[in-house]
Amino acid sequence: MPSSRIAVSGSSGLIGAALVRSLRADGHEVARLVRRPARAGDEVEWDPRRGYVDVAGLVGCDAIVHLAGAGVGDHRWTEAYKREIRDSRVLGTAAVSEAVASLDTPPRVLLSGSAIGFYGDTGSSPVDESAPPGEGFLPSVCEEWEAATAAAEEAGVRTVHARTGLVVGREGGAWGRLFPLFKAGLGGKLGNGRQYWSFIALHDHVAALRHILDTESLAGPVNLTGPKPVTNAEVTAAMGRVLRRPTLFPAPAPALKLVLGEFAEDVLGSQRVIPAKLLDSGFSFAFPDIDGAIRAALR
């Protein structure tokens, strides 16, 4: 798109920070949503719990990219933290959506975060955006999360739900935890290793977000995963190859359940997710294979 003003929430996270760098490098003006009074010209105050967004800070925005939410794997899943996971997504998304709908001239697009957790455990069966929601905590959160954009959709704003997979990045997310273990030679498969991991290189994820902003035909759910999901055992082997380290320390399922509690069911679950809409819209992946995605993260 031509030089534009774009608002981004979650700009301090792995994906948000990379997106902001990419947009600014190409001359776009970025307004960052922050959960405190704005201290700089590029900041917009918001409070997702109170449903507050400084709407004046969104005036003139061509696009809103909403990525904020509590980390799913940051803490053990107590009932209190599960509420935090849900509320940080549903309440925050509703606040942003309602702010977008209230503007006299709304943005062209609201690109709102979601996750492939929507599909639940799909086993070895490939699924695309047409698949129904799965069962369990994360699918229910994703359903509510996506439904929270209703105000913007009713206002006629093109709305996209970016169902993100496992982002291969060195500075955060699942791989941010894996890299130190594998570099120390302490890595290994999780459980039986047969579960599918739908990964995407951070570079490709940012490029896909920008492709969505530019592609008017994309709306509704869009899977942000690479085109070649692999099993956890294949991920383990690739990490060993690229890092040149042994991978002799598997984490048995009972141990994961002891350490992670309920979250272990999702770690051990299998999701073979295909980015059908991205591929059909002409998006090209720079790092479609797991080895290349790992090497890209290390660079």
Side-chain angles (χ1 to χ4, degrees), residues 76 189-191 249-261 264 267-268:
R76 191 179 179 88
K189 67 182 182 180
L190 304 180
F249 293 89
L256 286 172
K257 291 175 182 178
L258 180 64
V259 173
L260 300 178
V267 171
L268 296 168

Side-chain angles (χ1 to χ4, degrees), residues 44-285:
V44 177
E45 182 182 359
W46 80 310
D47 185 335
R49 289 195 173 278
R50 290 195 295 118
Y52 170 76
V53 180
D54 181 5
V55 177
L58 302 183
V59 172
C61 284
D62 295 289
I64 311 291
V65 183
H66 173 51
L67 302 174
V72 170
D74 288 357
H75 299 279
R76 191 179 179 88
W77 280 10
T78 62
E79 289 303 313
Y81 195 66
K82 286 167 70 174
R83 283 195 300 273
E84 174 66 19
I85 289 171
R86 178 200 171 276
D87 290 351
S88 68
R89 286 160 174 75
V90 177
L91 300 181
T93 300
V96 169
S97 178
E98 289 164 10
V100 164
S102 73
L103 292 167
D104 292 334
T105 304
R108 294 183 302 104
V109 56
L110 169 61
L111 174 48
S112 185
S114 185
I116 62 171
F118 176 92
Y119 303 109
D121 190 334
T122 69
S124 60
S125 300
V127 296
D128 62 16
E129 291 88 351
S130 66
E135 298 180 355
F137 173 65
L138 288 183
S140 69
V141 168
C142 289
E143 281 194 274
E144 291 186 72
W145 191 3
E146 295 184 6
T149 63
E153 294 179 65
E154 291 167 3
V157 176
R158 176 169 69 95
T159 302
V160 181
H161 306 290
R163 291 179 180 167
T164 296
L166 294 169
V167 179
V168 187
R170 189 172 52 186
E171 298 172 350
W175 254 271
R177 294 178 175 85
L178 290 179
F179 274 123
L181 286 173
F182 277 86
K183 284 182 176 179
L186 300 175
K189 67 182 182 180
L190 304 180
N192 61 28
R194 293 195 294 269
Q195 68 272 32
Y196 273 89
W197 279 22
S198 296
F199 71 91
I200 183 170
L202 178 60
H203 172 96
D204 283 332
H205 195 288
V206 171
L209 291 174
R210 296 196 55 178
H211 175 77
I212 290 169
L213 292 178
D214 291 344
T215 306
E216 294 293 332
S217 62
L218 287 173
V222 178
N223 292 335
L224 268 66
T225 59
K228 300 177 181 179
V230 293
T231 65
N232 174 258
E234 291 172 312
V235 168
T236 300
M239 291 287 279
R241 281 194 303 271
V242 174
L243 296 173
R244 299 180 181 179
R245 294 290 190 275
T247 56
L248 304 176
F249 293 89
L256 286 172
K257 291 175 182 178
L258 180 64
V259 173
L260 300 178
E262 184 180 347
F263 181 47
E265 298 298 328
D266 289 273
V267 171
L268 296 168
S270 181
Q271 294 187 310
R272 192 176 183 181
V273 180
I274 307 301
K277 284 190 175 181
L278 278 182
L279 293 171
D280 290 346
S281 67
F283 181 76
S284 179
F285 288 86

